[in-house]
Amino acid sequence: MGKQSGTGHLANVSPEELLAGYTPNSPEEKALLRKIDSRIVPAVFFMYLLSYLDRANIGNAKTAGMQAELGMTSTQYSVVLLVFFVGYVLGEVPSNMLLTRMRPSLYLPGIMFLWGGVSLAFAGCHNWQSIAVVRLVIGTLESGFGPGVAYLLSSWYRKNELGSRFALYYSATAISGALGGLIAGAVTTGLEGVGGLSGWRWLFIIEGSATILGCAAALFVLPDYPTTTLWLTQDEKRLAAARLLYDSVGQSGGPGASHGGLASLTESLLDWRTWMFTFIFMMTTGSQTIQYFVPTLMTQLGYTGNMAQYMTIPPYLVAAVFIIGLGFLSDRTGERALVIASATGVAAICFVVDLASYNTHVQYAFLCFAIAGVWASCMLVLVYLSNVISWPSEKRAISQAFVNAMGNSASIYGSFLWADSTAPRYVPGFTTTIVMLLACSAATLLLRYLIARYPYVIPDADAPHGSDADIPVSEKAQDADLVKTTA
């Protein structure tokens, strides 16, 4: 298990000494990176996969008969969707502030165990109000997971490594969409009536149980922070800390940890970059609310029964390819903003085609690419944020949580964009989504310009002597060893 241990001799090592012994891209660093990848990436991938299955299976349950059995109206279903995000939005910042003071190897599996257990309660719900209450509790419990993993990844990887690792982790959202349809089709049909329970109730039982088992496995794999993880040697801890310091990435339990909770919160909320990222992420996550209606859209395209569930799989597989491909591309090229703007622009065009066409095959094909563009851009916005606001670590954690929270608040009103009364064309949903994607593209390009003009500079008082921490981000981007975070 990734137990927290003392930092040993690192406690008495100055930042200058750490940097003096560091050589970027050395064989030792590459070996360390492989060791880190083998632990972190698989763990957070499977945890996030289970998280998204628990979050998005409400759409599969609706298609499998939940709405009809409970007599749920379209508006009531939208309320069920939005209450999840009420708890999710309110809990994110406090949770990430708490995480900077706790062990991720215990904290993240712990909240995972809790929401998995609560998910089992769906099987006993007999009206839409009880469904809404359970969703509210799950949203509150899950609120710490997404921003918590974002913070953990940004506490281990250099800026030019983060996009690809974040992409591998975030691809779980798309793969969960594909698996969700496959699992839902098999479970809701194969277990319908077993034990006197509807198939959709078994869906919640099985996926909630899987989450509980998954958290037990995560306890033995998930690490803490570079200077406090037991499975690293002292030399590896020193190297892990030095490479982050070289990249001006603040570290929990190390250089650039915090200015104090209240000070870090104030710094984050007064930083104009936080608010720019918030708007951009609100536009992408607002567009992403289509995920809860993809099974419904399949029925409007003429698919019924299990086929409606199974036809949700290809769009998410395309999205997984886009997420991984664009994540690696953004690391390789050092571009974040241009990739985001391109992805959201392509997604907007695809949604325009969906809205204009009456050919169901054309609509389905372009829906696949539209969803892919939305999912990839959501991931890259969080990477871009982590690259730009990197120091101190608690400010980064708060900014990640705040942007994620406010961004997901878009899902509260986004839940009402796809009302049954607007079927079969869903003009309000498609039109609003197109506008949000175009706004995201434009705002991202503006942010790119502003960051280049007004770069993020770490105060001299924080910058370790001999490092490049006090160099503006736009100048550091010119170094071949650093990602061009202004892009």
Side-chain angles (χ1 to χ4, degrees), residues 311-323:
M311 289 304 289
T312 65
I313 298 174
Y316 291 111
L317 293 180
V318 176
V321 173
F322 266 57
I323 290 169

Side-chain angles (χ1 to χ4, degrees), residues 82-384:
L82 75 85
V83 294
F84 173 93
F85 294 101
V86 173
Y88 198 84
V89 166
L90 294 177
E92 290 194 53
V93 171
S95 179
N96 251 26
M97 293 180 71
L98 188 60
L99 179 61
T100 63
R101 294 160 171 80
M102 297 188 68
R103 296 174 52 189
S105 64
L106 295 179
Y107 185 78
L108 295 177
I111 61 175
M112 183 179 178
F113 174 82
L114 292 175
W115 88 64
V118 174
S119 294
L120 301 177
F122 279 120
C125 294
H126 296 283
N127 53 60
W128 74 270
Q129 292 95 333
S130 56
I131 293 282
V133 171
V134 175
R135 286 273 296 176
L136 175 64
V137 175
I138 291 177
T140 304
L141 294 172
E142 271 199 49
S143 66
F145 185 74
V149 171
Y151 176 67
L152 181 64
L153 288 175
S154 65
S155 297
W156 278 90
Y157 290 105
R158 289 182 59 190
K159 295 175 182 178
N160 60 344
E161 300 164 350
L162 190 58
S164 53
R165 274 70 180 186
F166 214 101
L168 291 171
Y169 143 72
Y170 198 79
S171 66
T173 63
I175 293 174
S176 73
L179 284 178
L182 185 64
I183 294 171
V187 170
T188 56
T189 300
L191 295 181
E192 178 65 34
V194 174
L197 298 177
S198 304
W200 64 267
R201 297 182 187 274
W202 277 111
L203 179 64
F204 288 117
I205 293 173
I206 289 174
E207 292 187 350
S209 300
T211 298
I212 294 173
L213 293 175
C215 80
L219 283 170
F220 294 92
V221 180
L222 202 66
D224 292 312
Y225 299 112
T227 59
T228 59
T229 292
L230 190 62
W231 47 262
L232 292 182
T233 66
Q234 288 296 334
D235 287 341
E236 287 172 333
K237 290 178 182 179
R238 179 171 182 145
L239 177 56
R243 62 194 227 101
L244 294 175
L245 182 61
Y246 179 83
D247 234 11
S248 301
V249 176
Q251 307 162 51
S252 287
S258 176
H259 293 161
L262 182 59
S264 295
L265 177 63
T266 302
E267 289 173 11
S268 176
L269 296 182
L270 293 181
D271 193 329
W272 60 267
R273 299 167 189 84
T274 300
W275 293 98
M276 284 288 291
F277 277 114
T278 296
F279 175 78
I280 291 169
F281 199 57
M282 287 184 73
M283 296 299 98
T284 58
T285 52
S287 304
Q288 204 176 29
T289 53
I290 193 175
Q291 67 181 308
Y292 301 107
F293 299 91
V294 170
T296 301
L297 293 176
M298 294 302 105
T299 63
Q300 296 300 325
L301 293 178
Y303 302 104
T304 58
N306 283 348
M307 188 55 64
Q309 301 281 14
Y310 296 141
M311 289 304 289
T312 65
I313 298 174
Y316 291 111
L317 293 180
V318 176
V321 173
F322 266 57
I323 290 169
I324 295 173
L326 294 183
F328 276 81
L329 176 66
S330 70
D331 269 0
R332 179 65 62 89
T333 62
E335 290 285 353
R336 302 294 190 213
L338 294 184
V339 177
I340 294 169
S342 299
T344 51
V346 168
I349 293 171
C350 290
F351 279 128
V352 168
V353 174
D354 273 322
L355 187 58
S357 176
Y358 286 84
N359 184 306
T360 57
H361 297 294
V362 171
Q363 289 176 317
Y364 183 80
F366 277 86
L367 183 65
C368 290
F369 290 104
I371 289 175
V374 171
W375 262 246
S377 60
C378 284
M379 175 270 298
L380 286 171
V381 171
L382 294 176
V383 175
Y384 196 14

